[in-house]
């Protein structure tokens, strides 16, 4: 069982610029002791009514142990969203993009 608490803050810095920051804490219970801390930031800048550029970045740290699927325990691995497991206790990711809406 995993329990998660999250907090996010968005700020419209200007009519064209949106900034955001977030924090997520996850703690497992039962036979495991895994704990995950994740910090995220993002920005979106409108170039026109239909085109914008965006950036998101995140850092996650995992500690403790989690189940291995065979009744044993292994060290918890960081995993941000659907980007896969880092194979280590930390993971970082950055996304940059240009979006045009048709």
């Amino acid at each position: 069982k995993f329990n998660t608490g999250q907090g996010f803050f968005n700020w419209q810095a200007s009519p064209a610029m949106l900034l955001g920051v977030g924090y997520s804490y996850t703690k497992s219970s039962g036979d495991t002791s895994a704990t995950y801390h994740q910090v995220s930031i993002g920005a979106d800048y409108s170039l026109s009514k239909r085109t914008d550029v965006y950036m998101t970045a995140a850092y996650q740290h995992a500690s403790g142990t989690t189940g291995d699927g065979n009744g044993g325990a292994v060290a918890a691995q960081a995993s941000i969203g659907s980007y896969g497991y880092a194979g280590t206790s930390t993971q970082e990711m950055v996304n940059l993009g240009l979006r045009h809406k048709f």
Side-chain angles (χ1 to χ4, degrees):
K1 180 177 174 183
F2 291 90
N3 295 304
T4 300
Q6 301 175 331
F8 297 93
F9 176 75
N10 288 322
W11 178 48
Q12 192 75 47
S14 73
M17 174 71 80
L18 176 65
L19 303 172
V21 63
Y23 173 76
S24 177
Y25 173 79
T26 301
K27 174 75 174 135
S28 67
S29 61
D31 332 359
T32 65
S33 64
T35 302
Y36 304 88
H37 297 272
Q38 181 173 316
V39 177
S40 306
I41 60 170
D44 189 291
Y45 185 79
S46 296
L47 300 172
S48 70
K49 193 174 185 178
R50 296 181 1 186
T51 305
D52 63 312
V53 292
Y54 63 89
M55 181 279 307
T56 60
Y59 169 82
Q60 185 180 91
H61 176 75
S63 60
T65 60
T66 190
D68 67 358
N70 296 317
V74 295
Q77 295 181 36
S79 176
I80 297 173
S82 60
Y83 292 96
Y85 290 97
T88 63
S89 63
T90 62
Q91 186 176 43
E92 305 85 20
M93 74 92 190
V94 175
N95 289 321
L96 299 170
L98 173 67
R99 176 176 35 223
H100 182 75
K101 302 167 192 154
F102 294 94

